[in-house]
Amino acid sequence: MFQSFDDPAGGGDHPARLAALRERLAALGLDGFIVPRADTHQGEYVADADARLAWLTGFTGSAGFAIVTADRAGVFIDGRYRVQVKSQIDLDCFTPVPWPETRPSAWLAEALPEGGRIGFDPWLHTRSEIEAMEKGLADSGIGLVALDENPLDAVWTDRPPPPLGKARPHDDALAGECAHAKRHRLAATLRDAGQAAAFLSLPDSISWLLNIRGSDLPKNPVVQGFAVLGDDGHVSLFAHPAKFDDALRARLGNEVSILPPEGLSAALGALEGPVRLDPATAPEAAFRLVEAAGTPIARAPDPAILPKARKNAAELDGMRAAHRRDAVAMIRLLAWLDAQQVASLTEIDLVEKLEALRREEGILDISFDTICGTGPNGAIVHYRVTRASNRRLREGELLLLDSGGQYADGTTDITRTLPLGAPPAEARAPYTAVLRGMIALSRARFPRGVAGAHIDALARQFLWMAGLDYDHGTGHGVGAALCVHEGPVRISRASDLPLEPGMILSNEPGCYREGAFGIRIENLVAVTEAESEPGRQMLGFETLTLCPIDSRLIDLASLSRDEIAWLDAYHARVRAEISPLLDPLSRDWLARSIRRLSIGQSVS
């Protein structure tokens, strides 16, 4: 539980591991192998036993993959990890590859001659991934080979065992709907579509469907497993039986069968169709097993994925309550920080202090490893402090603090950027542009049918006008007492999924200057129905996060009256809702901060 400050890659002789893998590939007659970040569940966070990419390369980011050939080893990373990857991998053995700018098929076509054979583990890639790769390689003469044995696992001799975390019930009152009702509601959608069963591979979908939570993965309260939902509402759950005690088994009832994971392959081959499989989330291996049995497949999204994203009234209430408690911890941290000598603190000191304050508010775990980066460390988008990288706070630098908590009733994620002492003048303009983008998205109104791609530019517009941008999405979906990164909804140029009431997303534009500083301001928002003229259906956002936004870097002259009004109203709401929950010293600090931040009075 909570954050470790050890090297997340675990150290190790990565050149020797690469050599061992190449030797294994040669023995199998393969010219290369793809090493994904994902596990069999395609999750962003993986157990130690599934951290293959980190074990091989040393890179610990939450997205990416490697392709290994006899003489090349490319580590494919997106814009979030361009800085981080260079500090983690051995550049004499591995080469960072910008992705998606460089397609893996194009890289392979250059790296291998015609007739090359590239192996992959079909349990670690989705059908959509493999189809895209095959399409890209169609004219190259290079073939993909699905392997029964993962050659990396064969050389990973000290691989940790898979997790066996205990499962627990999630209160129906917090879920807003009992598991029986969920199962039969989704079963009805299968019957309406003429489908006999659906295969679920995402642990958060399964945990949501059955109103259970788990401890297989740190920071993500899910039960790892696979499930088959029948059109009669029965669920076959393939997860280690030791995770479930007698009380939880009784609660799940006779319509949920808990079966050993080893039986999954045979069960998929024995299903009667049509079987619903999601090409974007289900492993390629699942498709192959059903196809081998001659069973019809219905390609369609995981039936739980959208219902899970549309939070009901109870889930929204739980998220609001969790954010109020989280605000208490954050404000107490900011008040404490203001009273300290900056040079006496390190990044780890802040992380530990914030975790302690959140424990006092009932946190079960953090929702991700806290990103606490000062100065140049703040420019590493997903920086994770270790004992080796731990940096002392310094006057005149920026502190980027991105953190969150897992509570029984909700999940939080908040980022604040703070100047330490006198703020650096060169950060003022980008900070103001980031803030204006965050406010623009917070105030947005849009018709039903609008997707994340349509509104992403609202958050970037002021940065674009200054010739700046950021290489990550503007917002990710967030689960209700589930995963802090939850699909399928996003605010990004690549998301065409329409936003719907009840969906919860982050609003987090940023700006990063390598070697100098990072800026990000993040609140969580819920999609709500908005006032509109008759005949139209408009949506907007309710801000869930309640914590002051630092004003010391704001270029006030750049803000419009409406932006100032929004900021003043937001801080008034923070004070009204959170002040009664604070201790006297933190309450006084908040009052002083709100007075300082109430800048509308200074504009004529």
Side-chain angles (χ1 to χ4, degrees):
M1 177 185 279
F2 301 103
Q3 190 153 333
S4 165
F5 302 108
D6 297 327
D7 177 3
D13 188 344
H14 300 291
R17 294 171 181 178
L18 178 61
L21 176 59
R22 282 175 167 153
E23 184 178 345
R24 185 65 181 168
L25 296 179
L28 294 172
L30 295 170
D31 299 295
F33 182 67
I34 306 171
V35 183
R37 157 71 179 180
D39 60 8
T40 58
H41 306 283
Q42 299 304 309
E44 179 177 347
Y45 297 93
V46 299
D48 290 344
D50 297 312
R52 296 174 177 86
L53 184 62
W55 179 84
L56 177 68
T57 69
F59 171 64
T60 62
S62 62
F65 57 95
I67 302 180
V68 174
T69 69
D71 58 358
R72 300 190 191 188
V75 181
F76 291 71
I77 35 79
D78 63 31
R80 294 171 292 175
Y81 299 110
R82 304 280 160 81
V83 178
Q84 176 179 331
V85 71
K86 291 184 290 186
S87 68
Q88 290 190 312
I89 66 174
D90 185 333
L91 294 172
D92 291 331
C93 298
F94 300 95
T95 301
V97 181
W99 170 75
E101 296 90 333
T102 301
R103 293 180 296 115
S105 55
W107 188 90
L108 280 169
E110 180 184 337
L112 293 178
E114 185 173 350
R117 301 173 72 247
I118 299 297
F120 71 95
D121 184 336
W123 283 104
L124 302 181
H125 299 268
T126 66
R127 169 58 56 98
S128 292
E129 279 185 87
I130 297 305
E131 288 178 338
M133 183 82 77
E134 288 174 337
K135 182 178 179 180
L137 293 172
D139 299 323
S140 69
I142 297 171
L144 292 178
V145 182
L147 303 175
D148 294 328
E149 170 204 272
N150 187 310
L152 186 146
D153 292 353
V155 300
W156 189 357
T157 55
D158 58 349
R159 184 182 173 200
L164 285 177
K166 291 294 184 182
R168 58 181 170 83
H170 182 59
D171 195 327
D172 288 352
L174 295 175
E177 184 180 16
C178 69
H180 179 274
K182 289 181 180 181
R183 288 189 288 101
H184 285 272
R185 175 159 64 93
L186 267 58
T189 67
L190 298 181
R191 294 194 300 273
D192 291 345
Q195 298 160 3
F199 174 64
L200 279 67
S201 58
L202 299 177
D204 60 331
S205 287
I206 297 168
S207 299
W208 173 87
L209 177 64
L210 299 179
N211 282 355
I212 57 175
R213 296 295 187 266
S215 52
D216 285 327
L217 295 178
K219 308 165 192 70
N220 290 267
V222 296
V223 179
Q224 284 198 315
F226 296 97
V228 175
L229 170 66
D231 63 0
D232 60 354
H234 184 276
V235 168
S236 297
L237 175 59
F238 295 88
H240 199 290
K243 298 178 182 181
F244 302 87
D245 61 23
D246 291 342
L248 184 54
R249 288 171 180 269
R251 180 186 176 93
L252 289 171
N254 295 331
E255 289 188 329
V256 177
S257 301
I258 299 172
L259 304 168
E262 297 77 20
L264 175 63
S265 295
L268 288 174
L271 289 175
E272 296 182 1
V275 177
R276 181 169 179 159
L277 288 170
D278 185 348
T281 63
E284 168 71 11
F287 278 86
R288 290 173 178 250
L289 288 164
V290 177
E291 288 168 342
T295 306
I297 290 176
R299 292 172 62 118
D302 171 340
I305 203 163
L306 272 177
K308 170 169 54 69
R310 303 183 194 109
K311 277 64 179 179
N312 58 38
E315 290 172 317
L316 289 169
D317 283 345
M319 290 290 278
R320 294 183 187 107
H323 276 83
R324 286 191 291 271
R325 294 197 301 280
D326 204 63
V328 170
M330 275 296 301
I331 291 169
R332 289 181 65 194
L333 177 85
L334 297 177
W336 171 83
L337 179 59
D338 259 9
Q340 306 304 307
Q341 292 292 324
V342 166
S344 69
L345 300 172
T346 68
E347 294 167 339
I348 287 179
D349 291 334
L350 264 65
V351 174
E352 291 181 331
K353 179 66 175 180
L354 181 53
E355 285 188 1
L357 292 171
R358 281 192 165 118
R359 284 191 187 98
E360 293 181 22
E361 298 303 319
I363 194 177
L364 302 176
D365 199 348
I366 54 177
S367 56
F368 56 96
D369 283 325
T370 299
I371 300 168
C372 181
T374 61
N377 286 346
I380 303 171
V381 178
H382 280 191
Y383 171 68
R384 180 191 183 282
V385 59
T386 67
R387 300 191 191 283
S389 71
N390 187 29
R391 199 167 181 275
R392 191 166 293 279
L393 275 59
R394 299 178 187 175
E395 295 274 350
E397 293 187 340
L398 296 188
L399 167 69
L400 190 155
L401 183 60
D402 185 350
S403 66
Q406 291 286 5
Y407 297 86
D409 49 2
T411 302
T412 70
D413 183 0
I414 174 177
T415 308
R416 292 294 183 264
T417 301
L418 311 168
L420 300 173
E426 64 273 19
R428 188 174 299 278
Y431 181 90
T432 305
V434 168
L435 174 61
R436 296 183 73 193
M438 194 277 289
I439 293 174
L441 197 55
S442 302
R443 298 178 60 228
R445 296 291 181 269
F446 46 91
R448 278 185 179 267
V450 161
H454 299 134
I455 60 175
D456 179 76
L458 295 177
R460 299 178 189 266
Q461 57 182 310
F462 305 106
L463 289 163
W464 285 352
M465 285 192 290
L468 303 170
D469 202 359
Y470 48 94
D471 294 321
H472 56 76
T474 298
H476 56 81
V478 180
L482 266 174
C483 298
V484 72
H485 287 179
E486 177 183 89
V489 63
R490 290 180 295 160
I491 300 175
S492 79
R493 283 168 280 189
S495 179
D496 59 2
L497 180 72
L499 303 178
E500 298 183 48
M503 291 179 170
I504 295 176
L505 304 104
S506 65
N507 172 6
E508 52 179 313
C511 186
Y512 311 90
R513 188 164 297 169
E514 185 174 352
F517 59 75
I519 297 166
R520 188 161 65 250
I521 305 172
E522 175 188 17
N523 285 341
L524 296 193
V525 296
V527 182
T528 61
E529 294 184 355
E531 185 177 347
S532 59
E533 66 181 6
R536 293 190 184 276
Q537 292 182 310
M538 301 293 288
L539 301 176
F541 292 121
E542 171 195 350
T543 297
L544 300 176
T545 306
L546 296 169
C547 182
I549 296 168
D550 201 287
S551 68
R552 288 170 288 181
L553 277 167
I554 298 175
D555 177 8
L556 182 59
S558 297
L559 266 61
S560 70
R561 291 178 181 274
D562 286 343
E563 290 166 342
I564 292 171
W566 183 92
L567 193 58
D568 283 344
Y570 175 69
H571 287 133
R573 180 184 165 211
V574 170
R575 183 174 184 180
E577 293 196 31
I578 307 303
S579 283
L581 308 177
L582 293 170
D583 61 272
L585 289 176
S586 300
R587 188 183 307 123
D588 289 345
W589 177 90
L590 179 60
R592 293 194 303 272
S593 299
I594 294 300
R595 282 197 296 272
R596 185 181 73 217
L597 293 166
S598 293
I599 56 182
Q601 300 302 318
S602 64
V603 180
S604 59

